[in-house]
C-alpha cells in the first residue's frame, strides 16, 4: 500500500475571530527532526499563545495541544494528516490569541482549517522508502563513483577519507541491490555497509 508525504514546506496565515493562526506543514524524516523544527518555531514565535503540533512518522507519531483544552488542537490535526494518508509530515499551528474565546468546537474548526489550508499550498507525493549506505573505495575509484552517483541522482549525505574514501548516501530502497552491483563493477573491492 502506498504512503504519501508532501512535496515541500508550506505556511499560511488565517485570522479567525481576532486570533491569528499560522498553519505550517513540513516533510520530516522522523521525530528527532520534528522536535528540532518545533523548537525553532517556538523560538521564532516567542510571544505566541500556543504552538500546537501533530506528527505522522510511522511509529514515531505524536501530538500536542500546547495548553489549549485537551483534544482541541493536536488530535484534530493528527486526524487531518491521517485523513490525507500522510506520513513523514509535521503539522504545526501557531496561535496568537486575539481576545475572543472560540470554545472547544471553534478551536477544533480553527486548527483543522489552518492545517487544511496549509496542505492545499503543497502537493501530496508518494513516499518512497529510502535506504542509507556507506561505501568505502580506494581513492582511485572515488571520481568514477562520484560521477556514477551524480548520474543516478542519489543523495550524497557525507564523505570522509582515511585509508579509503567513504561516501555516505541515500537512495530508494528498491534500487539498493542494483546499486550494490553497479558499485562493485566500479570498484571490485568496495566495502558497502547499510546504515538505515
Amino acid at each position: 500500500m502506498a504512503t504519501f508525504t508532501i512535496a515541500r514546506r508550506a505556511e499560511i496565515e488565517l485570522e479567525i475571530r481576532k486570533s491569528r493562526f499560522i498553519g505550517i506543514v513540513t516533510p520530516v524524516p522522523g521525530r528527532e527532526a520534528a522536535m528540532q523544527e518545533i523548537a525553532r518555531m517556538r523560538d521564532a514565535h516567542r510571544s505566541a499563545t500556543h504552538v500546537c503540533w501533530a506528527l505522522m512518522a510511522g511509529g514515531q507519531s505524536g501530538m500536542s495541544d500546547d495548553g489549549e483544552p485537551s483534544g482541541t488542537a493536536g488530535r484534530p490535526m493528527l486526524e487531518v494528516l491521517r485523513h490525507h494518508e500522510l506520513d513523514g509530515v509535521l503539522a504545526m499551528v501557531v496561535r496568537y490569541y486575539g481576545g475572543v474565546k472560540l470554545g472547544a468546537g471553534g478551536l477544533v474548526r480553527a486548527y483543522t482549517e489552518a492545517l487544511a489550508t496549509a496542505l492545499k499550498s503543497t502537493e501530496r507525493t508518494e513516499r518512497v522508502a529510502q535506504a542509507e549506505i556507506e561505501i568505502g573505495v580506494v581513492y582511485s575509484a572515488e571520481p568514477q563513483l562520484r560521477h556514477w552517483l551524480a548520474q543516478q541522482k542519489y543523495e550524497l549525505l557525507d564523505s570522509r577519507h582515511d585509508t579509503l574514501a567513504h561516501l555516505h548516501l541515500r537512495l530508494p530502497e528498491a534500487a539498493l541491490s542494483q546499486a550494490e552491483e553497479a558499485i562493485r563493477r566500479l570498484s571490485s573491492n568496495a566495502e558497502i555497509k547499510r546504515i538505515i
Side-chain angles (χ1 to χ4, degrees):
M1 187 174 115
T3 62
F4 298 90
T5 189
I6 54 175
R8 66 189 162 279
R9 178 187 172 93
E11 184 172 325
I12 60 90
E13 192 170 320
L14 301 173
E15 187 177 307
I16 300 169
R17 297 185 63 196
K18 298 188 179 178
S19 278
R20 185 173 148 218
F21 290 86
I22 302 167
I24 303 119
V25 288
T26 189
V28 291
R31 191 174 186 95
E32 187 178 328
M35 293 302 120
Q36 291 170 357
E37 189 63 30
I38 293 162
R40 273 195 291 279
M41 289 309 291
R42 287 188 199 286
D43 201 43
H45 295 277
R46 288 176 190 218
S47 58
T49 321
H50 308 280
V51 179
C52 303
W53 59 269
L55 170 67
M56 285 298 290
Q60 304 176 339
S61 300
M63 64 189 165
S64 170
D65 292 317
D66 192 36
E68 290 283 30
S70 181
T72 61
R75 168 79 51 203
M77 291 164 59
L78 195 63
E79 291 306 319
V80 171
L81 295 177
R82 280 194 182 119
H83 175 75
H84 286 273
E85 300 173 317
L86 293 171
D87 196 50
V89 176
L90 170 64
M92 295 174 286
V93 177
V94 177
R95 181 185 183 196
Y96 287 89
Y97 181 60
V100 177
K101 291 193 175 189
L102 301 180
L107 286 171
V108 169
R109 283 189 295 280
Y111 280 99
T112 56
E113 182 181 348
L115 176 51
T117 305
L119 284 170
K120 287 178 190 167
S121 302
T122 187
E123 297 88 46
R124 189 173 87 143
T125 61
E126 189 167 350
R127 189 165 192 216
V128 177
Q130 299 287 305
E132 287 183 23
I133 59 174
E134 185 176 281
I135 306 160
V137 293
V138 293
Y139 284 94
S140 60
E142 185 181 7
Q144 300 137 286
L145 181 58
R146 283 185 180 265
H147 178 72
W148 176 80
L149 290 174
Q151 286 179 318
Q152 300 302 314
K153 295 185 171 62
Y154 296 151
E155 186 181 358
L156 180 61
L157 301 173
D158 193 19
S159 64
R160 64 183 171 81
H161 297 83
D162 49 37
T163 55
L164 295 174
H166 297 273
L167 303 178
H168 178 179
L169 60 127
R170 182 181 295 135
L171 65 158
E173 177 119 26
L176 193 56
S177 61
Q178 225 176 326
E180 287 178 355
E181 285 175 31
I183 292 162
R184 292 198 197 288
R185 279 196 301 274
L186 288 169
S187 178
S188 60
N189 49 0
E191 295 174 5
I192 303 171
K193 181 173 75 176
R194 174 123 186 214
I195 297 167
I196 296 175

